[in-house]
Amino acid sequence: MASTLPLPLPEPGQFMTALRSALPHFGQVEWFARTASTNADLLTKTRTSLLRLDRPWLLGAHLQEQGRGRAGRTWQNRPGANLMFSCAFDVFLPPRLLPALSPLAGVAACEALRGLLPPPLQPHLTLKWPNDLQWKFAKLGGILVEITRAGTSRLSADHHVAIMGIGLNLDDARSLSQSLDRQIADWREICDAAQEVAQSPATALVSRIAQAWYDGINRAIRQGLLEFPARFAQVDALNGQHVNILDDGQVVHSGIACGVNELGQLLLRTPAGELAISVGDVSVRPK
């Protein structure tokens, strides 16, 4: 028998109340019926706020009218079929480490969601560098991380604000796969594979990911990122795969993916030696 999703989503006021209870250390938690873009909303709030260390903030919406993915891509969504929210965190890290926050957000979210799954199914939930969540190698969700100065509330030279946004497919994988001409996964598939997963409400998914991001950033501030490559390896969907690195649709590098370094760069083994890739789209080459 097919499982049931934690749907319909609670109305925004109920959603917000439940999240504020689950995340009491978040300075602001808001959830709306619709907005243009949760990342853009938090960027604007960050640049205009006079508050000092009131973060973390969380802002979500049942519908994003101008939701964005990496490289300016739009995020297709409809109310109830997607879980979309963003968080803003104070970050005190040297600038050279800031790019690592993008894959760090992906690892933390993947770990958080794996915690809801029975152990035999956890390896099916992986991360495609830099931060695409995958279920059985089909895209389940995407993450967008944007870094900005702390504005008028800046406390030191290394004080930045990281805006981490996620769009997680709850439903509609079949229609999205057809319209996008590539494999898309959704949370319903996971619920069908493990009935107990469907017992976790949507608010639990949000609070687990938000808490994992908060813990991951604080850990990076305290300890640095020396242990990050080993942590990434536990969820890495690309390790050992022959891949192409694309820029504007053109192949710029080819090789074998072999994890990441401390800076969150993808390591690529090529005939010319090992390369550290900072940006680009990754396409797995057919064997």
Side-chain angles (χ1 to χ4, degrees):
M1 183 177 67
S3 65
T4 56
L5 276 167
L7 294 174
L9 295 177
E11 63 91 11
Q14 293 176 331
F15 213 117
M16 186 164 56
T17 298
L19 288 175
R20 286 176 175 173
S21 177
L23 300 166
H25 47 296
F26 274 56
Q28 297 182 31
V29 175
E30 298 177 290
W31 202 279
F32 302 104
R34 63 175 60 216
T35 189
S37 162
T38 56
N39 259 43
D41 290 348
L42 287 184
L43 281 169
T44 298
K45 184 186 288 286
T46 294
R47 291 165 178 164
T48 58
S49 176
L50 298 176
L51 298 173
R52 289 178 178 268
L53 299 181
D54 179 53
R55 287 173 285 266
W57 299 334
L58 185 150
L59 191 152
H62 283 2
L63 178 68
Q64 289 196 58
E65 297 168 336
Q66 299 174 30
R68 296 175 291 131
R70 287 195 309 116
R73 299 182 181 93
T74 58
W75 180 266
Q76 297 189 32
N77 64 103
R78 69 171 178 85
N82 307 91
L83 201 58
M84 298 165 293
F85 67 94
S86 302
C87 295
F89 302 97
D90 289 292
V91 177
F92 297 87
L93 288 172
R96 71 181 190 90
L97 294 182
L98 294 177
L101 292 179
S102 185
L104 175 64
V107 169
C110 190
E111 292 171 341
L113 294 178
R114 273 188 171 190
L116 293 170
L117 306 182
L121 293 181
Q122 290 177 2
H124 293 308
L125 185 59
T126 57
L127 185 72
K128 179 185 176 185
W129 183 90
N131 50 27
D132 276 353
L133 296 171
Q134 294 190 329
W135 173 253
K136 297 183 178 180
F137 299 103
K139 185 171 180 176
L140 175 67
I143 294 170
L144 175 65
V145 176
E146 299 177 282
I147 309 295
T148 187
R149 296 285 188 181
T152 56
S153 62
R154 192 179 184 200
L155 298 179
S156 63
D158 64 354
H159 184 192
H160 298 80
V161 175
I163 312 295
M164 296 181 172
I166 185 170
L168 186 72
N169 300 323
L170 295 178
D171 205 351
D172 285 355
R174 181 175 298 180
S175 61
L176 284 172
S177 296
Q178 292 175 347
S179 65
L180 298 174
D181 195 27
R182 58 189 173 93
Q183 286 301 110
I184 301 296
D186 59 33
W187 196 250
R188 183 180 293 279
E189 296 177 48
I190 299 176
C191 292
D192 288 342
Q195 297 288 316
E196 62 268 37
V197 176
Q199 305 306 311
S200 296
T203 50
L205 304 185
V206 174
S207 61
R208 286 182 70 91
I209 293 171
Q211 184 64 48
W213 284 345
Y214 178 71
D215 293 341
I217 285 176
N218 285 335
R219 183 175 175 182
I221 293 172
R222 291 193 311 268
Q223 303 176 12
L225 291 165
L226 289 176
E227 49 77 44
F228 181 63
R231 187 176 167 195
F232 187 96
Q234 298 302 307
V235 298
D236 190 357
L238 295 177
N239 190 41
Q241 300 270 5
H242 291 260
V243 302
N244 291 326
I245 307 299
L246 308 177
D247 181 21
D248 197 23
Q250 302 297 312
V251 176
V252 292
H253 299 291
S254 294
I256 298 175
C258 48
V260 301
N261 60 17
E262 178 192 354
L263 302 179
Q265 297 168 311
L266 177 68
L267 300 179
L268 195 68
R269 189 179 305 121
T270 76
E274 188 174 88
L275 298 178
I277 306 297
S278 298
V279 296
D281 292 322
V282 180
S283 173
V284 177
R285 292 163 54 186
K287 296 182 179 179

